[in-house]
Amino acid sequence: LNSFMFEYKGIYFYTGSTTPEIIDSLEHMEIRDSDVFLVTYPKSGTIWTQQVLNLIMHERHRNGLEHIDNMTRAPWIEYNLHNDAFNSRQSPRLFTSHLPYYLMPKDLRFKRAKIIYVYRNPKDVLVSFYHFHKLYQKLEVTLEWETFLGLFLSGRVLHGSWFDHIKGWYTHKEDYNILFMTYEELKKDLRSAVIKICNFLDIKLNDDAVDTVVDKSSFKNMKQDPLANYKFISEKFLDFEKGEFLRKGTIGDWKNRMTVAQNEKFDKVYMEKMKDLPIKFFWDINDEEQ
Ligand code: A3P
């Protein structure tokens, strides 16, 4: 564990972006029925889905009239960046979070607010996260791949264990108005994924508007967009000499990275951790097709 992380209530946070006080204050955050929350474990397609949600929810994004960074238009509730502005925001508000279910605002269980939970094959999450650590100046830049793999499997990484994150949210899904989606589902058929999200949010878009959402959230277009790539964030945090935020955007990159032994080590932990969870993940079923 490096000096830039602290542990609070079972989760590792980055010291520069939040404090225990901020985390605690979220318990009482006032929720509106019209609020939409995007919840993910890091590197699961957060920025991508944020882009999709903003385009669906706001015509001014679709027609290009408003083009502001992802961090501002979908504030992260656990970061100290924009918290003070939460209450003054106009409905419908969109928020993003990597928090586990038990640290989310309590009010979410009693309002009709909606949550979209996006998850991704954890092996691809691991590889993406590893590359992100190289980009992120404040994290352990010298980490070896094998070391990082071990930290990831034991949950000693930013935002804690992937396994606990998905298990927690999945086993408490009845408490929330929640839609589960996968990165891979977006990747394989973005248009259908957009329509699914529209249905969940009760938003009707005509075919042209759906096309615009799909087009503006393609990997190609987002990769060229500095605002989607965190390019406005100070060099103190991200070093773009070392990589890009929108890196490959593919399914199955783990196969280029993990050795057979590493893959077996991963599967062992995976099976142990996930054995009680009653969902069959697509990557367990048709991994070969990826
Ligand atoms: P890779 O590192 O595998 O390329 P997050 O936003 O949760 O941190 O996730 C980042 C991952 O989502 C990165 O994965 C990034 O390339 C990918 N991503 C971002 N926008 C995307 C898009 N429009 N299409 C496909 N993948 C995208």
Side-chain angles (χ1 to χ4, degrees), residues 258-266:
M258 289 168 80
T259 62
V260 172
Q262 289 167 345
N263 190 33
E264 280 170 3
K265 183 174 165 184
F266 192 108

Side-chain angles (χ1 to χ4, degrees), residues 40-48 98 120 124 128 183 187 217-219 222 245-250:
T40 59
Y41 184 83
K43 313 320 289 175
S44 305
T46 323
I47 293 298
W48 188 11
H98 288 321
R120 181 182 190 185
D124 282 338
S128 183
Y183 174 97
K187 186 78 200 173
S217 48
S218 70
F219 187 78
M222 284 182 66
F245 190 84
L246 263 82
R247 197 181 55 95
K248 282 194 175 174
T250 56

Side-chain angles (χ1 to χ4, degrees), residues 143-154:
L143 271 183
E144 292 293 329
W145 160 245
E146 182 86 32
T147 313
F148 187 73
L149 173 81
L151 290 172
F152 183 87
L153 291 177
S154 63

Side-chain angles (χ1 to χ4, degrees), residues 40-52 76 98 118 120 124-125 127-132 183 186-187 190 214 216-223 228-230 244-251 253:
T40 59
Y41 184 83
K43 313 320 289 175
S44 305
T46 323
I47 293 298
W48 188 11
T49 319
Q50 259 178 234
Q51 175 88 349
V52 168
W76 293 66
H98 288 321
V118 179
R120 181 182 190 185
D124 282 338
V125 169
V127 173
S128 183
F129 216 0
Y130 178 67
H131 285 285
F132 181 69
Y183 174 97
L186 267 75
K187 186 78 200 173
L190 186 54
V214 172
K216 286 184 188 275
S217 48
S218 70
F219 187 78
K220 191 168 142 273
N221 281 343
M222 284 182 66
K223 193 159 172 64
N229 281 274
Y230 282 129
E244 293 282 328
F245 190 84
L246 263 82
R247 197 181 55 95
K248 282 194 175 174
T250 56
I251 297 175
D253 194 33

Side-chain angles (χ1 to χ4, degrees), residues 37-47 49-50 76 78 96-100 115-119 159 165 169:
F37 282 78
L38 168 65
V39 178
T40 59
Y41 184 83
K43 313 320 289 175
S44 305
T46 323
I47 293 298
T49 319
Q50 259 178 234
W76 293 66
E78 62 264 45
T96 301
S97 181
H98 288 321
L99 288 174
I115 301 175
I116 294 169
Y117 185 97
V118 179
Y119 61 96
H159 299 285
H165 200 276
W169 275 102

Side-chain angles (χ1 to χ4, degrees), residues 176-223:
Y176 304 98
N177 198 354
I178 188 166
L179 173 71
F180 285 86
M181 295 197 74
T182 63
Y183 174 97
E184 291 79 3
E185 170 178 9
L186 267 75
K187 186 78 200 173
K188 285 177 182 161
D189 185 353
L190 186 54
R191 200 166 203 285
S192 299
V194 167
I195 291 168
K196 190 167 167 183
I197 295 174
C198 287
N199 290 339
F200 178 65
L201 297 180
D202 279 325
I203 294 175
K204 297 211 181 343
L205 296 185
N206 63 32
D207 284 353
D208 285 350
V210 172
D211 288 344
T212 305
V213 176
V214 172
D215 182 53
K216 286 184 188 275
S217 48
S218 70
F219 187 78
K220 191 168 142 273
N221 281 343
M222 284 182 66
K223 193 159 172 64

